[in-house]
Amino acid sequence: MRALVTGGSGLVGRHLKDILPEEIYISSDDFDLTNIDRVHAMLDFFRPKIVIHLAARVGGIMDNINHPVDYLEENIMMNTNVLKKCHEFNVDRVIGILSTCVYPDKVDTYPMKEEDLFNGPPTPTNFSYGFAKRCMAAHIDSYVKQYDKRWCYLIPCNLYGKYDKYEEHHSHFVSALIKKIYEADDSLELWGDGTPLRQFMYGGDLARVIKYIIDNDIVDNFNVAPKEVYSIDEITKIGKKACEKDKLVVTYDNTKSNGQFRKDVDSSKLLLMLKDFKFTTLEEGIKKVYDNFSKRYNR
């Protein structure tokens, strides 16, 4: 197949490597994707048939709020360089991985479908990141229109997994919650008021979807998310149960931002093709991550 995976040392990249171990996995230690000459050198050396573009600058709410220029510029440069050079080297398949942050802050009807993508600005709390990822969607669509490329993108919901980072400014909510639960004795405090609604998907599920669309030569743009939508408070209760810490008392600091209230998406277009696909339940996924984390984290 000869696939090259950018962001290969990240959460989804490492889950993908579990099921596609023979492909090429690139991290920022190997090639700086913000440098177009390094991207050229990378593609010239490997000559892949497929590029799965996972690499991105990602972070939590406060890091997005405090560094909007960095999130916009770094992601725009990476995405532009990768797509431009994939065109120059005639890469047959490019699969770009976006985020539900690309969707409008508010819409009239939920869950959102693929056609809602440009129906309003992204949420203010991570506007720059969301807009940079949305630009990649427009960029891929433009290459498809102008050059008849067999390129596409996936829009996954919030992710978590056993390969996540646990530093405060990088960690996804569920992974940060798992660390808090692990470290807590009697109580834990979370930001906001617990009411925002979220979809969360185990990183290994997205990896399986990527493999499926490659194996079956599917070229289209899809949302990827389980249908379940939970409040932050409900997710916390599921997390406590999965980690066998039901007695922990949870409090909320409502002086801190809730972030976007909801951004759930509809995956029915994808699931029409993946009829037998089963997403990992949130409780099962949290248990997997908690068990893995507790074995290697020194309290």
Side-chain angles (χ1 to χ4, degrees):
M1 181 169 58
R2 195 64 174 174
L4 183 148
V5 182
T6 69
S9 63
L11 168 61
V12 181
R14 293 178 68 186
H15 275 290
L16 195 58
K17 193 171 185 178
D18 286 343
I19 57 176
L20 291 174
E22 301 302 318
E23 308 312 323
I24 305 158
Y25 293 84
I26 296 301
S27 76
S28 57
D29 291 335
D30 303 309
F31 293 92
D32 177 6
L33 301 185
T34 65
N35 183 324
I36 197 163
D37 293 331
R38 296 299 293 147
V39 177
H40 182 101
M42 175 181 75
L43 290 173
D44 189 34
F45 183 78
F46 291 111
R47 300 283 173 151
K49 298 293 185 185
I50 301 169
V51 169
I52 303 165
H53 183 37
L54 300 173
R57 173 163 180 162
V58 297
I61 290 176
M62 289 310 300
D63 204 48
N64 273 269
I65 291 172
N66 292 332
H67 303 98
V69 173
D70 300 336
Y71 277 89
L72 183 69
E73 290 185 348
E74 289 182 32
N75 284 300
I76 288 283
M77 283 191 288
M78 280 191 278
N79 300 340
T80 300
N81 292 344
V82 168
L83 295 179
K84 184 176 180 65
K85 290 301 176 178
C86 282
H87 171 58
E88 289 183 17
F89 282 93
N90 200 29
V91 175
D92 179 52
R93 294 287 311 273
V94 174
I95 303 170
I97 306 301
L98 277 59
S99 159
T100 48
C101 295
V102 300
Y103 277 108
D105 184 29
K106 296 176 183 177
V107 295
D108 294 332
T109 305
Y110 292 91
M112 293 179 283
K113 297 186 177 182
E114 289 83 357
E115 54 264 31
D116 292 319
L117 179 55
F118 296 101
N119 290 343
T123 186
T125 49
N126 53 7
F127 180 88
S128 293
Y129 173 76
F131 217 97
K133 284 288 194 176
R134 187 186 287 190
C135 283
M136 182 163 67
H139 205 166
I140 289 173
D141 287 341
S142 297
Y143 269 112
V144 171
K145 181 178 180 180
Q146 185 169 341
Y147 295 106
D148 198 28
K149 296 288 191 184
R150 301 177 68 250
W151 296 4
C152 63
Y153 51 85
L154 301 177
I155 310 176
C157 66
N158 296 68
L159 298 168
Y160 68 99
K162 63 182 180 180
Y163 300 120
D164 207 351
K165 297 177 181 177
Y166 293 92
E167 298 91 344
E168 184 173 344
H169 66 290
H170 280 131
S171 184
H172 297 90
F173 171 73
V174 167
S175 300
L177 175 66
I178 288 168
K179 182 179 179 183
K180 283 179 176 286
I181 290 173
Y182 179 81
E183 293 178 335
D185 291 318
D186 303 307
S187 63
L188 60 89
E189 182 180 86
L190 302 176
W191 283 11
D193 60 15
T195 61
L197 302 175
R198 292 289 183 269
Q199 286 169 307
F200 272 96
M201 176 170 55
Y202 185 65
D205 291 352
L206 178 57
R208 290 191 292 128
V209 169
I210 293 170
K211 183 178 185 299
Y212 184 91
I213 69 170
I214 291 172
D215 289 346
N216 292 276
D217 201 31
I218 296 167
V219 184
D220 206 344
N221 308 319
F222 299 101
N223 290 328
V224 187
K227 65 180 180 179
E228 292 79 13
V229 182
Y230 299 106
S231 71
I232 293 297
D233 193 57
E234 288 171 328
I235 293 168
T236 303
K237 289 175 180 174
I238 292 170
K240 290 196 302 177
K241 180 181 178 183
C243 302
E244 299 180 357
K245 286 199 170 185
D246 287 291
K247 294 182 180 180
L248 282 178
V249 176
V250 178
T251 59
Y252 290 94
D253 180 358
N254 57 21
T255 65
K256 299 293 195 302
S257 172
N258 268 325
Q260 190 173 6
F261 180 70
R262 68 182 299 181
K263 54 174 183 171
D264 42 297
V265 296
D266 183 351
S267 294
S268 58
K269 178 182 172 183
L270 175 70
L271 294 175
L272 281 173
M273 290 183 298
L274 280 71
K275 295 183 185 301
D276 298 323
F277 188 86
K278 301 294 183 185
F279 286 99
T280 304
T281 68
L282 186 58
E283 184 173 347
E284 179 187 356
I286 289 177
K287 181 168 178 53
K288 283 184 183 180
V289 178
Y290 184 80
D291 289 346
N292 178 269
F293 177 80
S294 61
K295 288 176 184 175
R296 61 189 177 89
Y297 184 75
N298 185 353
R299 184 176 178 185

